[in-house]
Amino acid sequence: MVSEVTAGGEVVAGEDVAMTDKTVRFDEAVLVQPIERKEGNPKDQDFYFNFYSSLQNQANMIGDTARTGTYRKAILGNAEVAFKDKVVLDVGAGSGILSYLSAQAGARHVVALEASSMAEKIALLVNASNLGRSNPHIKNRIRVVRGMVENEKVQEEVLRTGKVDTIVSEPIGVMLLHERMVESYLLSRDLFLKPGGQMLPSGGHIFFAPFTDEALYNDTDQKAQFFNATLFGTDFRELYTVARAEVFAQPVVGMFPPTSLLSAPCSPKSFDFYTCAKDDLLEFSVPIDYVVSRTALIHGLASWFDLDFAPNPASATGVNHPAAEEPWEYAVTAQSAAWPWMSQETPLNPGPTPPPPPHGLEVKLSTGPDAPRTHWQQARLLLPEPLAANKGERVVGSVHFKVNDARSYDITLEMRIDRPGPEHQPNPLIRKAEYNLSQQCFNYSYNPETALPATVAGMAYGA
């Protein structure tokens, strides 16, 4: 059987698909090239795509069992409504793991759209399967397209097999939206999804809560203090103010103890991926309003997000009997003993799941401080100057997001103590700080797996 490879770099998968004007071949792939690339240099030109072209970086994401296990649960749990005999688009396919899970769920065809050279590595697996060497569950089912969804030639290539029934993607970054891949996910919805089609994930929610952490604050300040000295004969103290502003503008990524929170999170900023528009992501504000649980210094705002995986309500056909969903109420990071229908599975290769509910399954992934660790961890926005608050006082303000050219966001935090009495200028009860979400730093001082039980036992918010 002869493979069909387009001049633009079309790729892989299953069987012939009849179209109105041509036939798309899903037999095997011998070549995967980007739709557009610079002549004479096939390597990834962009640091972002170069990062995701690394198998080791892909291993870090696949090995996040909370993340990948939840996607697996959502895909296989929605097999009946979103995958069985369906055409599926995997946007930003990366390693191809979601494409392979879609095939396991019964997808008739999967278009794996990937902009980096990881597309070539997907093709290695797909080619081997199409030749009968391995992975029979994906044989003659996957077609790889290399390119960005924003590119018109890529759009034409994806649409050669028509609009799709379901879109899967892992477009998520720190604080949900870093890297701005969600915008591409929504664009793929507008371009490629049939009316009433399914999207996994279906929504996301960003949470904020005030925290106290003197050690983190002092450690951050000490980084700037390095320049408040004479170094090798030159006085660097003129740079101290600049260094301090720079280091406090960096969101801190890492885990933190739930007991460091000074309040329950307020209502999250929510995005329904079935209905929200790209413009909704470009600039928005999140109001914050808390009652402090104990007298403390507020060192900043902690943040995390949840993801929803739910069938499209616009195409719902009924409600499951509770007995159909009960077997799916397992923790994806649990040990084998918690999964009685499985045998000899490992965390990275779990056994079979229960029968999929006929009307789909709602699944949630949390990255909060009470949830299992994910590779996203959590983020904290440190105030350059802490804000003292008494137990029972109200803290109000906002977090403003605006996209920048670094595939990320500029963030402005405004916070004040809502305390009665005359105001002074400058007002000691008000804080305003700015951050660049693309300039993250990391703090690994807390590990929930080794922490004392008192630091991880629920969000007592001052207990």
Side-chain angles (χ1 to χ4, degrees), residues 7 28 32 72 76 79 84 87 105 130 134 151 153 163 182 221-222 255 263 271 298 310 317 362 372 396 416 440:
E28 63 181 277
V32 180
R72 177 180 185 265
L76 299 184
K84 188 175 180 181
V87 177
N130 291 349
S134 61
N151 184 283
K153 293 181 180 179
K163 291 204 170 185
V182 175
D221 185 67
Q222 191 61 36
M255 306 289 286
S263 168
F271 298 94
I298 299 175
T317 58
E362 293 188 10
V396 297
R416 67 179 176 88
Q440 301 157 16

Side-chain angles (χ1 to χ4, degrees), residues 415-431:
M415 181 186 299
R416 67 179 176 88
I417 304 291
D418 189 19
R419 185 181 299 167
E423 291 193 2
H424 303 275
Q425 296 299 330
N427 193 328
L429 305 179
I430 295 176
R431 296 291 183 271

Side-chain angles (χ1 to χ4, degrees), residues 19 51 65 79 118-119 187 238-239 278 325 360 380 383 389 427:
M19 302 295 290
F51 178 88
T65 54
M118 273 303 301
L187 178 60
E238 289 293 331
L239 297 183
K278 175 184 175 180
E325 296 188 5
R380 285 178 285 182
L383 291 171
N427 193 328

Side-chain angles (χ1 to χ4, degrees), residues 216-271:
L216 176 64
Y217 179 85
N218 289 339
D219 179 66
T220 303
D221 185 67
Q222 191 61 36
K223 293 177 182 178
Q225 288 290 347
F226 176 86
F227 291 97
N228 197 23
T230 298
L231 305 173
F232 295 93
T234 298
D235 186 347
F236 275 71
R237 287 178 296 176
E238 289 293 331
L239 297 183
Y240 168 67
T241 301
V242 178
R244 196 172 191 279
E246 183 179 284
V247 74
F248 275 95
Q250 295 180 299
V252 181
V253 175
M255 306 289 286
F256 58 80
T259 51
S260 69
L261 298 180
L262 297 173
S263 168
C266 60
S267 297
K269 176 64 177 180
S270 297
F271 298 94

Side-chain angles (χ1 to χ4, degrees), residues 44 46-58 60-61 114 116 118 121 179 375:
D44 298 281
D46 187 295
F47 173 81
Y48 173 77
F49 294 116
N50 186 58
F51 178 88
Y52 286 110
S53 69
S54 163
L55 282 171
Q56 291 306 304
N57 289 329
Q58 293 293 332
N60 181 51
M61 293 181 284
E114 170 57 34
S116 81
M118 273 303 301
K121 295 159 189 173
E179 296 179 347
H375 77 285

